[in-house]
Amino acid sequence: GQSGLGQAALSFAKSKAGKGLRGVHGAGARSGHRVGDEELRNQTMLGVARATANFNDLEVVAVYTKRLEGNFLKEIDSGYPRGHDTEQLRMCVKGLKGVVESFTQASGRSMEQLISTLLPQVRQIVGDAVGQDGAGTSATASNFLGSPVLAGGATIAPTVLNYELDDESFEMSQISEGFVVRMCSRLDELIDPLRVHLVPKLSDDLLVGILGGMAKRMEAAIRKSKFTPLGAISLDSDVRYIMNFAKDRIDSPQLKSNVTLCKICPPLARLNQIALLMNVDDLEDVLDLISVSKRKGVWDLKLDEAKTLLSLRVDFEGEKVNDLLQMDDE
């Protein structure tokens, strides 16, 4: 049935996420058959391909059923005489629309479950990158091939999230690899083995879901930080990098813009709005920014949230922030 088509893929994802080659090696040892790393890698890649094929099946059958409905209706219009029997046939064919919707919904549910399976590793990757939530003590995330999801040399202290920058530290941040670059690289390593086998729509759905989880975690880290004006500029640069990272990997041409990406991924939209808010030169500009953005339909932050975020700017007095935003959300 429809609901069972994605179960093999989900089972594989749950069993291999974070295990990869180690999981396959264990299975080989239990069976008494010793295999080399290359064979282990090939076995795992085959498992990934088979698992993603199950996800693809739901999406492909929905597309072809919709196409079949359209072809049948065209044939009825061009080859059958008008009359009661023809109308009955037309209504019967239109019943395929319900079948398409059921397959589409089943596909969506399967992808949601896959994303939920991967989100703990996404949170770990973000936590490690920003240097918060006890990142140094957590286990190393692995991709589906069992390779540690790491970037950079282990002997060099990595750059972590820091937006309380003076002139010297800001200049250093501009010439060094920041935490966002490392974080996005690790996300690539985590999901690329899946995305390469998924049909374009599902590949985009997976990417957007993972980026949404990343953006939520990053927002939580931002709320624990302090900002200088230079730090706010650095945040804007980081958010732009994330948006370009997403657009470079999205398959659908319709989604390759900041507007459409923010529409389908609200957590990314919030990051963009936070970057805009934190970069105001003067508190007097805040209300204009919020008002204009609301009229455009591109503002989700509540006034209390804006107040909390602006209070993170070390050059803004908390009392002035409170006085400025003494009004209710519309």
Side-chain angles (χ1 to χ4, degrees), residues 208-327:
V208 170
I210 295 302
L211 288 175
M214 176 274 295
K216 288 180 181 179
R217 198 69 166 181
M218 188 171 165
E219 179 181 336
I222 286 172
R223 288 173 176 270
K224 300 176 184 177
S225 306
K226 290 292 185 181
F227 285 78
T228 61
L230 290 175
I233 294 173
S234 182
L235 170 64
D236 183 69
S237 177
D238 288 341
V239 173
R240 288 175 186 272
Y241 183 92
I242 291 170
M243 295 302 291
N244 288 330
F245 171 86
K247 288 185 287 188
D248 286 345
R249 286 153 183 78
I250 285 285
D251 283 304
S252 172
Q254 289 76 28
L255 301 180
K256 286 184 177 289
S257 74
N258 287 0
V259 173
T260 52
L261 265 177
C262 289
K263 186 173 292 186
I264 64 170
C265 189
L268 275 183
R270 288 178 61 88
L271 272 189
N272 276 272
Q273 292 161 26
I274 290 171
L276 279 174
L277 182 68
M278 299 306 291
N279 274 276
V280 293
D281 294 323
D282 193 293
L283 281 176
E284 300 297 329
D285 299 329
V286 172
L287 291 181
D288 284 341
L289 169 66
I290 294 176
S291 178
V292 171
S293 298
K294 278 188 172 183
R295 285 199 298 271
K296 293 179 179 178
V298 292
W299 195 261
D300 303 309
L301 300 177
K302 297 184 181 299
L303 284 176
D304 282 345
E305 292 179 309
K307 186 188 304 183
T308 299
L309 289 163
L310 288 170
S311 297
L312 301 176
R313 279 278 295 263
V314 297
D315 54 324
F316 290 164
E317 294 181 21
E319 186 176 341
K320 289 185 177 179
V321 171
N322 287 329
D323 291 341
L324 180 68
L325 299 180
Q326 289 298 326
M327 60 174 61

Side-chain angles (χ1 to χ4, degrees), residues 25-43:
H25 184 274
R30 288 191 295 274
S31 67
H33 173 57
R34 293 189 60 81
V35 293
D37 286 346
E38 187 62 28
E39 186 175 346
L40 289 175
R41 186 180 183 86
N42 290 339
Q43 287 180 14

Side-chain angles (χ1 to χ4, degrees), residues 105-242:
Q105 291 170 3
S107 177
R109 287 193 297 269
S110 293
M111 288 306 299
E112 287 173 2
Q113 292 177 61
L114 174 61
I115 292 167
S116 296
T117 300
L118 295 175
L119 280 180
Q121 290 205 77
V122 173
R123 289 191 288 268
Q124 180 178 311
I125 287 171
V126 178
D128 290 344
V130 303
Q132 296 182 359
D133 301 326
T137 61
S138 60
T140 300
S142 301
N143 65 14
F144 281 85
L145 303 182
S147 304
V149 181
L150 292 170
T155 59
I156 301 174
T159 305
V160 296
L161 183 148
N162 177 25
Y163 293 120
E164 196 170 3
L165 305 177
D166 56 20
D167 290 341
E168 182 180 352
S169 55
F170 177 75
E171 288 180 10
M172 183 62 65
S173 72
Q174 300 303 297
I175 61 175
S176 61
E177 182 184 90
F179 78 94
V180 167
V181 176
R182 188 172 67 257
M183 177 178 69
C184 290
S185 175
R186 294 175 66 184
L187 289 176
D188 258 345
E189 292 177 28
L190 176 67
I191 63 175
D192 268 3
L194 286 167
R195 292 187 61 238
V196 71
H197 294 292
L198 289 169
V199 297
K201 180 185 181 302
L202 296 185
S203 176
D204 286 351
D205 289 347
L206 175 61
L207 177 64
V208 170
I210 295 302
L211 288 175
M214 176 274 295
K216 288 180 181 179
R217 198 69 166 181
M218 188 171 165
E219 179 181 336
I222 286 172
R223 288 173 176 270
K224 300 176 184 177
S225 306
K226 290 292 185 181
F227 285 78
T228 61
L230 290 175
I233 294 173
S234 182
L235 170 64
D236 183 69
S237 177
D238 288 341
V239 173
R240 288 175 186 272
Y241 183 92
I242 291 170

